């Protein structure tokens, strides 16, 4: 059964051995207060993204953005860069803050492969929920594969990077460093 998108990540659908174990500081001295676990899952129709962000100061989280495509990236947030295989080669950036507010955009690279255009008016179809507790906050996202223009059959590989930002410590960590829009800096999300 797919997870219920309630922000809690308590369902058996989330793999117990699936959190990504190592994230790297965005810059020297960038250290979060609290560990982070990212989870990934899929079924025939959807991609599922989950994150648990430990934070002893969870009652003081920064979550100022209140409208979609507001400056979520300045808040406490988790962020994803997804590149499904397609002729266009688009990258989709999705950030979520502890209030469940989303910033998302499509990034399209031009023929030279280096120059890009961002389309912040792109609003991906997705269901998002977050949960706050005394010592952590968490997020769950369900995105139809069709919303990202990609397939997710067994064996498919997408480009991927993801991060957590903590506004109170002015810190960020990510899976692949340095973080960049360009797909050459991404790792791989393999559908197994």
């Amino acid at each position: 059964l797919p997870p219920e998108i309630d922000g809690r990540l308590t369902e058996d659908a989330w793999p117990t051995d699936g959190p990504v174990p190592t994230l790297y500081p965005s810059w020297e001295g960038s250290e979060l207060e609290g560990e982070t676990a990212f989870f990934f899952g899929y079924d025939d129709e959807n991609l599922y993204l989950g994150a648990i962000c430990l934070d002893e100061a969870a009652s003081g989280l920064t979550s100022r953005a209140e409208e979609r495509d507001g400056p979520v990236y300045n808040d406490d947030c988790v962020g994803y860069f997804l590149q499904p295989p397609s002729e266009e080669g688009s990258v989709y950036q999705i950030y979520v803050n502890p209030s469940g507010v989303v910033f998302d955009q499509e990034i399209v690279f031009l023929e030279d492969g280096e120059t890009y255009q961002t389309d912040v008016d792109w609003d991906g179809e997705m269901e998002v929920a977050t949960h706050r507790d005394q010592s952590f906050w968490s997020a769950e996202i369900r995105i139809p594969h069709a919303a990202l223009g990609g397939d997710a059959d067994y064996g498919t590989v997408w480009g991927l990077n993801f991060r957590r930002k903590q506004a109170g410590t002015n810190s960020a960590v990510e899976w692949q460093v340095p973080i960049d829009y360009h797909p050459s800096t991404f790792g791989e999300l393999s559908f197994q």
Side-chain angles (χ1 to χ4, degrees):
L1 292 174
E4 179 182 352
I5 306 302
D6 59 6
R8 296 176 183 268
L9 282 90
T10 55
E11 299 87 1
D12 290 339
W14 294 110
T16 56
D17 61 348
V20 175
T22 306
L23 300 170
Y24 300 95
S26 296
W27 52 84
E28 189 174 335
S30 178
E31 294 187 23
L32 297 182
E33 294 179 2
E35 296 181 1
T36 311
F38 282 89
F39 299 83
F40 299 87
Y42 79 103
D43 58 25
D44 290 343
E45 301 294 326
N46 302 294
L47 174 66
Y48 299 93
L49 308 173
I52 300 174
C53 304
L54 300 184
D55 194 327
E56 291 302 324
S59 61
L61 293 169
T62 300
S63 190
R64 292 188 185 105
E66 297 177 351
E67 296 181 3
R68 185 154 190 170
D69 294 333
V72 172
Y73 41 80
N74 290 331
D75 291 344
D76 283 89
C77 62
V78 290
Y80 301 87
F81 296 82
L82 300 161
Q83 186 194 31
S86 68
E87 289 183 19
E88 296 80 23
S90 293
V91 172
Y92 299 93
Q93 180 183 18
I94 301 165
Y95 277 44
V96 176
N97 72 13
S99 299
V101 178
V102 173
F103 169 88
D104 58 354
Q105 66 180 351
E106 181 180 18
I107 303 160
V108 178
F109 283 83
L110 305 181
E111 287 185 23
D112 65 8
E114 298 299 324
T115 309
Y116 60 85
Q117 295 176 334
T118 58
D119 180 5
V120 75
D121 291 331
W122 178 83
D123 286 333
E125 176 189 345
M126 65 187 78
E127 182 180 357
V128 176
T130 57
H131 173 73
R132 296 188 201 202
D133 207 310
Q134 291 181 343
S135 60
F136 74 92
W137 71 277
S138 54
E140 285 181 308
I141 306 169
R142 180 184 57 79
I143 309 171
H145 306 306
L148 302 174
D151 291 323
D153 298 324
Y154 184 87
T156 302
V157 175
W158 290 18
L160 172 70
N161 203 358
F162 49 93
R163 71 185 325 192
R164 175 185 176 191
K165 297 182 78 177
Q166 193 173 55
T169 61
N170 191 31
S171 298
V173 293
E174 46 250 359
W175 184 47
Q176 303 292 312
V177 292
I179 201 157
D180 192 281
Y181 287 165
H182 201 283
S184 66
T185 66
F186 294 178
E188 294 182 345
L189 175 62
S190 181
F191 291 80
Q192 300 297 320

